[in-house]
Amino acid sequence: MKKRVFAIIGFSLLALVLVLALTVGWLYIYSQNYSIPPQAESIENDTGLIRAHGRTLYDANGLPIQLKGVNAGNIMLQEGWMSPFATEPLTNPDGSYVTDADGNVQYPEFGEEDFRAAIASNPNLNMHHIDGLLLLYWQSLFSEEDFRIIKEDLGMNCIRLPFYYRNILNEDLTRKSEEDAFRFLDWFIGCAAEYEIYVILDLHGAPGSQNGYEHSGVTDQRCEFWDTPEYVDAVVDLWDYVSDHYTDNAPELGKWIASYDLLNEPTDGYGGVTTKKCWDIMDRMYTAIRNNGDEHLITIAGCWDFGKLPNPQKYHWKNVQYEYHWYNWWSDIVPYDLFYLYQDMWNVFRNYDVPVLIGEFTLFEDKQAWADQLELFDQRNYSWTVWNYKTTVTGSWTSSWGVFNCQLKLEPGQLKCNVATCTEDEFWAVCNQVKTANCVTGTLYDVLIEYRMKK
């Protein structure tokens, strides 16, 4: 009897291994041979805007265009690990600073709300309007020279610009004046237009947070957006406001908006995924934009793979592209080939007739992986924007997270600038330090230069 049981178990295990091997083998063949169907060489396009048709984007002249660019993250919305600013560092029970193995002081998460609250509470800065200080910081991180670098040096044609809901709305969720709401966005898009660079407007942080992550503006992991009607109504109104501005009031700038990216990494809870609850609410945003007669391409993001978005026909969505963020956090143990197989496994079931944007990704310091993945995107006609254009490092090293690196060159135990207590001169000094002329390049810069030379 025991022999029979063991035989059955052994046979079952063998069958399972065989099924897995056949599945992986089939996926590998699928992945290696996957290509999008033949696409139109040109389309009629009288909108003056980028349009989606099949799996391809087409420019204002009706010719195919693949968006290739960078993210301008950590400008209008803080991410502490990329920021030159901080507040109080982490401390041990004895009051000493928490440090890493190299003696670098560690900090708690530092989101946009923390940043704004610190500036507002700083007695040395309260003589200034917070919006003026924010504008100084934003235009230090990204100046007119950066648009030239992106176009002429890197050969890119697109910038994805993350912004925060409080850039457009007041704290009470009413609309800011057009002058206040769009001052920086209009300047940014205007500079991009001078170099014929398209901009993707990416709502990176919604009221109450749409994902609970630091980069949505909060640091307590709450995700209240989806279940709070006034927050949802506010974001629907925000997109109505943005759409109206760039369709009716600033249409020349609107021509250089590649797309409205409705919500960054929308998940139904901290650590969650994009669900039908998310789809239904993003459909309201889509409808608000279309009700303005706005024909811009609309980008809809799914977390974290091809399996998390519906067939666009379900919601009658037209002129949309789907967005995914490809981060292989397990690259030390999961080869990129397996990571692609995982993505393709979901793509088998969600191979919709829409263009794809890989809105964020990194391959860390692996230059060969960078070259392979960018080639993969080109083969599949995926548009892409790397994360990120600029980052901050506390020491004198470089990081692949940024095309440019601001090196704070802090000694072990030395602190970042505390934006809650710094003087005006110290704030200005940091803004000067993050200017590109004072930064250094790293792996990502080399990768993009090499990519351009090959093309």
Side-chain angles (χ1 to χ4, degrees), residues 32-46:
Q32 294 298 307
N33 293 279
Y34 174 79
S35 63
I36 63 173
Q39 301 291 292
E41 294 183 2
S42 64
I43 64 169
E44 293 292 329
N45 186 4
D46 59 1

Side-chain angles (χ1 to χ4, degrees), residues 38-219:
Q39 301 291 292
E41 294 183 2
S42 64
I43 64 169
E44 293 292 329
N45 186 4
D46 59 1
T47 67
L49 306 171
I50 287 180
R51 291 197 64 79
H53 181 80
R55 311 289 180 84
T56 301
L57 298 179
Y58 294 83
D59 65 16
N61 297 314
L63 299 176
I65 183 171
Q66 182 187 8
L67 299 176
K68 303 179 182 183
V70 298
N71 277 273
N74 198 53
I75 299 179
M76 304 182 80
L77 196 140
Q78 285 286 294
E79 297 190 39
W81 64 279
M82 299 175 65
S83 176
F85 291 109
T87 50
E88 292 298 324
L90 292 169
T91 57
N92 295 303
D94 64 0
S96 62
Y97 297 143
V98 175
T99 60
D100 64 14
D102 297 318
N104 299 300
V105 176
Q106 303 297 290
Y107 294 88
E109 289 191 335
F110 179 63
E112 181 68 14
E113 289 297 336
D114 300 315
F115 186 52
R116 289 168 175 259
I119 293 176
S121 67
N122 187 335
N124 301 312
L125 299 177
N126 62 14
M127 68 187 73
H128 299 287
H129 194 279
I130 186 172
D131 288 345
L133 292 171
L134 292 174
L135 187 61
L136 170 66
Y137 175 63
W138 297 343
Q139 291 184 323
S140 298
L141 273 171
F142 221 98
S143 70
E144 292 184 23
E145 173 65 5
D146 293 299
F147 295 93
R148 185 202 66 77
I149 290 171
I150 289 169
K151 182 68 173 186
E152 297 180 0
D153 295 354
L154 301 180
M156 304 286 100
N157 64 4
C158 182
I159 303 171
R160 181 171 177 259
L161 176 61
F163 68 97
Y164 193 41
Y165 82 93
R166 287 182 63 182
N167 301 135
I168 307 297
L169 306 178
N170 294 304
E171 192 169 3
D172 65 358
L173 304 181
T174 59
R175 295 182 177 185
K176 290 186 175 183
S177 69
E178 282 203 74
E179 180 182 1
D180 290 338
F182 297 101
R183 180 185 293 114
F184 182 75
L185 291 182
D186 284 356
W187 172 84
F188 193 98
I189 296 167
C191 290
E194 289 184 17
Y195 288 93
E196 299 185 344
I197 300 172
Y198 289 101
V199 177
I200 296 173
L201 292 183
D202 156 45
L203 181 56
H204 219 70
S209 178
Q210 76 279 10
N211 54 37
Y213 294 111
E214 173 196 36
H215 48 69
S216 70
V218 303
T219 54

Side-chain angles (χ1 to χ4, degrees), residues 28 66 92 133 138 175 199 241 287 303-304 404 443:
Y28 179 78
Q66 182 187 8
N92 295 303
L133 292 171
W138 297 343
R175 295 182 177 185
V199 177
Y241 195 18
T287 300
C303 299
W304 300 95
F404 286 93
T443 297

Side-chain angles (χ1 to χ4, degrees), residues 363-378:
L363 284 301
F364 307 102
E365 301 291 343
D366 190 336
K367 285 190 174 183
Q368 186 58 53
W370 276 103
D372 292 344
Q373 187 153 317
L374 293 179
E375 182 64 27
L376 177 73
F377 293 166
D378 287 350

Side-chain angles (χ1 to χ4, degrees), residues 153-155 444-454:
D153 295 354
L154 301 180
L444 183 50
Y445 178 88
D446 296 339
V447 164
L448 295 179
I449 292 294
E450 291 170 10
Y451 172 81
R452 184 185 187 188
M453 292 177 65
K454 289 179 180 178

Side-chain angles (χ1 to χ4, degrees), residues 228-239:
T228 309
E230 54 266 41
Y231 292 164
V232 172
D233 291 345
V235 171
V236 172
D237 183 60
L238 179 151
W239 279 118

